[in-house]
Amino acid sequence: MTRDLSRLFRPKTIAVIGGGAWCRLVIEQCQKMGFEGTIWPVHPKAEEVAGLPAFKDVDSLPDAPDAAFIGVNRFVTIEVVWALSVRGTGGAVCFASGFLEAAAEDAEGADLQAQLLEAAGEMPFLGPNCYGFINYLDGALLWPDQHGGARAEKGVALVTQSSNIAINLTMQTRGLPVAYVVTAGNQAQSGIAAIGEALLEDERVTALGLHIEGFGDLRAFEALAARARELGKPVIALKVGRSAEAQAATVSHTASLAGGDAGAGALLSRLGIPRLDDLPSFLETLKLLHAAGRLPSNRIATISCSGGEASLAADTGHGRNVEFPPLNAQQKTDLRAALGPMVALANPLDYHTYIWRDTEAMTKAFSAMMDPQLAMTMLIADFPRGDRCEASDWECAIQAAIGAHQNTGANVGLVATLPELLPEDVAARLMEAGVVPFAGLSEAIAACEAAGMPLPEAPAPLLLPTPAVEPDLVPEAEAKWQLASYGLRVPRSKRAASATNARAVAVDVGFPVVLKGEGVAHKTEAGAVALNLNSGQEVSDAAFSMPASRFLVEEMVTGAVAELLIGVVKDPAHGFVMTLAAGGTLTELMEDSASFLLPASDAEIEAALQSLRMAKLLDGYRGAPAADREAILRAIRAVEAYVMENALGLEEIEINPLLCTPSDAVAADALMRRKY
């Protein structure tokens, strides 16, 4: 059910239920921020709360409130939620803890949460175990604590599962205009995605930042991404935590490669939501998106009055998906006219210090650096600390940055290499003028990388994870037979019931052959595979030395130019994760892999293949023949097709190696774990 959160987040009337310090703070914070609506305290005994007359219960209120902060214990919370729902309240914040999040310590927790959901009915609520939210646009705060924000006419929205992180985010001094800060608590009813989608509907919200511990409702995240795409508003995420469920599946190489948070990264990439690694970069990216929106590319430039800063900028961008394009002829001509013959022209650019304090000359030089080929031009300027130094000499940099932006209309940022060297008042002034005030060089480049990430094509609906099962290891021959029926090319093969029988079976298959012991997951490590056997005696000797009683005899495929791994693991949190990696004995050695969720687009598969270091082998390295790309794609699609039609009961598939030849792609080994 999709619930309307608009009354809750943009209330005209607020009920504050409870009389402790937390509830008084909710009222005081609203008053301090200039909330123009009506506040109704509710307390069964008090005459007034925080100077306002109190009502004895919900039924006594003059009308159904748009929003209610419930600051009573968990048992009374359920009663209050029911009363609010019956009256037609727009929504509530459930502050109390001790519900499902406490189920491990308190057996009542889960049952109480079920009662809470039933009591709420169709009325939306945040939490429980939730601090609430701050609406800086309208001065409406269902927030029981201090905060560091200020009123705004427009800005970014922040949603987090952590109340403490929410408080910290409000204390930022980076010049970032914030429209909303919302905490989700344990998301009994309203999840992060639904909250974020509701906030995007406010035309005053420019971008959305999500701090995510776990995704929960995957369909809700798909809906959020789709709505953000329709509205043209960017969404970014800071995803924390590791997937213990994915790491628990350790039978195959795929499980270790796709363990951790590979599924989370694949989901965010699929939805077109850039992922940031830390809070400073998260905030700087939101600031860039607020001021300039998505960048048209990852091509950037920096200009500074120091060679050290120019080198630092280049090194900071190294390893990031950003590009410092060489200066073109027009840039060189304009820069030479602005700076004269003594400056070596390059990107990043050191313009030296001789034009410092000459605002007109600096504006001309900055403007000359800007070009339509660039998505962002960043001017590096670190301001002196205000308590011991005097910063009037830096006024020229501020005016030149603003002037260059006005002259060219280009995306311009002013960057302090150290976050603390950008004063908050300067950041606010630059933001007002349309210049992005970046606090930190590393954070600025991370922001440009994220904002320049192309928006992928709208994805197909995700294949959702199926219920957990205790899977069996499917015999290799059967696994190959099942996958072959979906188009996977496998070697000619025949099973042998004993070591003695293996010799005769090999003659039927035709030499040279490969002998494998059945029922062994990691055959190479266990000594359960022998390659290139050319006689019956070799087959017999190999069979008697293996730790197996049943065998598979296969044709020996030759001529491979590369070996690839194709694996699929069911990630209970994110769906079915397909991983492509260097195969065979190179899987652990190279640690070269890329993951995506199913079903996948052609672009996702191609991008994953090209991202591998072993892609050079597939393309033909140093004159060697190239692998048959079409055959590789057919193999990948065959595995995908099997998963899509047989997901129920499936836990894992691994093809390792897929032998990639100039004319074929053959699954030399197949592992499957599933429950029938």
Side-chain angles (χ1 to χ4, degrees), residues 214-477:
F215 287 96
D217 186 347
L218 297 175
R219 289 285 182 250
F221 276 89
E222 289 181 316
L224 167 65
R227 186 57 180 151
R229 188 187 296 265
E230 292 172 0
L231 294 170
K233 294 185 179 183
V235 182
I236 67 168
L238 175 62
K239 172 66 177 70
V240 298
R242 301 291 176 181
S243 173
E245 295 89 349
Q247 289 176 331
T250 55
V251 170
S252 72
H253 300 300
T254 302
S256 60
L257 291 172
D261 63 351
L267 176 61
L268 291 170
S269 177
R270 178 189 190 88
L271 298 178
I273 300 177
R275 182 179 188 180
L276 283 302
D277 297 323
D278 55 77
L279 286 172
S281 299
F282 177 73
L283 290 174
E284 292 307 304
T285 303
L286 286 169
K287 190 190 302 180
L288 169 56
L289 293 170
H290 170 80
R294 286 190 183 88
L295 298 182
S297 73
N298 65 346
R299 296 162 68 86
I300 63 175
T302 67
I303 178 169
S304 64
C305 62
S306 162
E309 289 172 341
S311 298
L312 184 62
D315 284 353
T316 303
H318 185 70
R320 290 279 189 185
N321 186 25
V322 294
E323 180 184 350
F324 289 90
L327 300 177
N328 59 36
Q330 188 62 55
Q331 286 173 299
K332 290 180 178 179
T333 298
D334 294 344
L335 284 167
R336 185 65 68 210
L339 297 173
M342 301 299 292
V343 175
L345 302 181
N347 178 25
L349 176 66
D350 166 19
Y351 67 87
H352 298 191
T353 57
Y354 72 90
I355 62 170
W356 187 260
R357 300 186 185 88
D358 186 339
T359 302
E360 183 178 351
M362 292 172 70
T363 303
K364 185 177 179 182
F366 294 171
S367 299
M369 189 69 173
M370 297 165 194
D371 188 88
Q373 69 168 322
L374 298 171
M376 173 63 68
T377 302
M378 293 182 283
L379 321 171
I380 298 177
D382 287 283
F383 288 73
R385 53 186 296 164
D387 58 342
R388 300 175 185 172
C389 305
E390 208 280 316
S392 59
D393 262 0
W394 274 254
E395 180 64 25
C396 57
I398 298 172
Q399 292 189 18
I402 295 172
H405 173 60
Q406 292 172 342
N407 289 347
T408 64
N411 290 328
V412 181
L414 190 146
V415 184
T417 58
L418 296 175
E420 61 268 29
L421 299 186
L422 181 65
E424 187 175 13
D425 62 326
V426 173
R429 181 179 167 191
L430 291 167
M431 202 68 158
E432 183 68 24
V435 174
V436 186
F438 287 114
L441 180 59
S442 296
E443 293 88 341
I445 290 180
C448 290
E449 177 186 43
M453 187 180 88
L455 191 63
E457 61 184 76
L462 193 67
L463 177 60
L464 297 178
T466 53
V469 297
E470 287 295 329
D472 300 315
L473 184 64
V474 178
E476 182 182 352

Side-chain angles (χ1 to χ4, degrees), residues 253-254 476 480 483-484 487-491 516 554 557-567 578-587 605 609 612 614 617-618 627-640 653-671:
H253 300 300
T254 302
E476 182 182 352
K480 283 181 172 176
L483 292 167
L488 182 67
R489 165 83 162 89
V490 299
K516 299 176 180 179
E554 294 184 331
V557 178
T558 60
V561 298
E563 295 184 354
L564 191 67
L565 177 150
I566 305 172
M578 176 173 278
T579 297
L580 306 181
T585 58
L586 295 179
T587 300
I605 295 174
L609 282 171
L612 300 177
M614 66 162 295
L617 294 176
L618 299 177
D628 186 336
R629 276 297 183 99
E630 290 301 317
I632 293 172
L633 290 174
R634 284 196 299 272
I636 293 170
R637 288 300 190 191
V639 175
E640 178 190 51
I653 292 175
E654 180 176 284
I655 308 301
N656 187 23
L658 182 76
L659 299 175
C660 305
T661 77
S663 59
D664 209 347
V666 185
D669 198 0
L671 179 149

Side-chain angles (χ1 to χ4, degrees), residues 596-610:
F596 48 86
L597 291 167
L598 300 181
S601 67
D602 291 342
E604 283 180 295
I605 295 174
E606 187 58 35
L609 282 171
Q610 280 306 120

Side-chain angles (χ1 to χ4, degrees), residues 487-566:
L488 182 67
R489 165 83 162 89
V490 299
R492 296 190 312 276
S493 66
K494 196 169 182 180
R495 301 174 78 176
S498 67
T500 303
N501 181 235
R503 180 170 186 159
V505 168
V507 174
D508 292 339
V509 173
F511 295 106
V513 298
V514 176
L515 181 69
K516 299 176 180 179
E518 289 199 323
V520 181
H522 296 299
K523 294 182 177 62
T524 301
E525 292 87 335
V529 61
L531 307 176
N532 204 28
L533 304 178
N534 287 284
S535 70
Q537 187 62 50
E538 289 183 10
V539 172
S540 183
D541 292 344
F544 279 106
S545 69
M546 286 185 183
S549 58
R550 293 173 290 105
F551 302 88
L552 181 65
V553 184
E554 294 184 331
E555 68 169 304
M556 177 74 189
V557 178
T558 60
V561 298
E563 295 184 354
L564 191 67
L565 177 150
I566 305 172

